Amino acid sequence: FLERSVLVGACALFVLSLIQWWLVSVVDSDFRSRNRQMVSLLMIPVVTCMVHATRRNYGEKKQLTDDLKSFDLEKVSCVSDFDNAFIHGAISSWYGSKEAFTEFVRGPLREELCDLLPSPHLSWTYVAFMVSSAVSYRLELVLSIWKAGADPDVFLLYVIVSVGFFGWLWPSFNGLFFLCDKTCTTRTGSSTKTRLLDWGKTFVVAIVFTGSLIVAETLAIFVLRSQNLWIGIGYLATSLLLPYYIWGRRVC
């Protein structure tokens, strides 16, 4: 479950990085500055698909844990009578009785599976994989600024802001996974009303996640325009404290 959600997030960020690269390479800078809000709307379709896929993934997890909560060994059977007798015999031998195995599935096994998709905690390794495409895009911009002969203070400020921006991505994805977990549905009905409600939840979560990225980008632009290195250092420190705070609160 977790790896699938991380892969969906990584693919979405890859597409968003391509969109950003296209905007920087093709679209006029004055047009981007005047229509920043409209340009930001290009992220919503990609983020919406990512959120819906993640919610469906969490819904499958919730369905599995709900099924385990009401697990009944007597309702489980094998195609072969030999396999059925062998498995039931092994269960009685390992767990003492069928009732003990049923309690194990409903209790410890279910609790262990509930921790497979940590919400809202993500390890730094998964986050590093998800943001790898965005990091590549930022590194290309940094190299371009360096090759263009930018002033060392301006170049350093841009590097600081770029590193600080990724500090916002960690809590943003934690929040995304948390909201997807809380708004997931186990089964989507066939009625139009049910489907609209399901997609409505997806759209709300997508707007919240996109808003968090827009806020981070807006703060980064403000810091760059200030041309103040100390403001940049403060932005970097604040950004790095966000994932550290989440990591420090993680319960193993």
Side-chain angles (χ1 to χ4, degrees), residues 45-105:
V46 179
V47 173
T48 300
C49 293
M50 175 186 67
V51 170
H52 198 68
T54 305
R55 288 185 60 247
R56 293 291 294 272
N57 192 35
Y58 271 98
E60 292 179 8
K61 176 209 170 186
K62 187 176 186 298
Q63 183 64 57
L64 175 61
T65 56
D66 289 344
D67 292 341
L68 291 177
K69 189 176 182 179
S70 58
F71 174 78
D72 188 353
L73 184 60
E74 298 301 327
K75 297 181 180 179
V76 181
S77 61
C78 301
V79 177
S80 170
D81 292 337
F82 173 79
D83 292 342
N84 188 73
F86 178 79
I87 292 175
H88 279 253
I91 288 175
S92 299
S93 175
W94 293 342
Y95 293 92
S97 65
K98 297 178 182 179
E99 292 75 15
F101 176 73
T102 300
E103 292 301 320
F104 168 76
V105 172

Side-chain angles (χ1 to χ4, degrees), residues 138-159:
R138 289 285 178 173
L139 287 176
E140 183 181 3
L141 291 182
V142 169
L143 182 60
S144 300
I145 293 175
W146 175 260
K147 289 294 185 179
D151 185 80
D153 291 340
V154 175
F155 175 76
L156 179 60
L157 183 61
Y158 187 85
V159 172

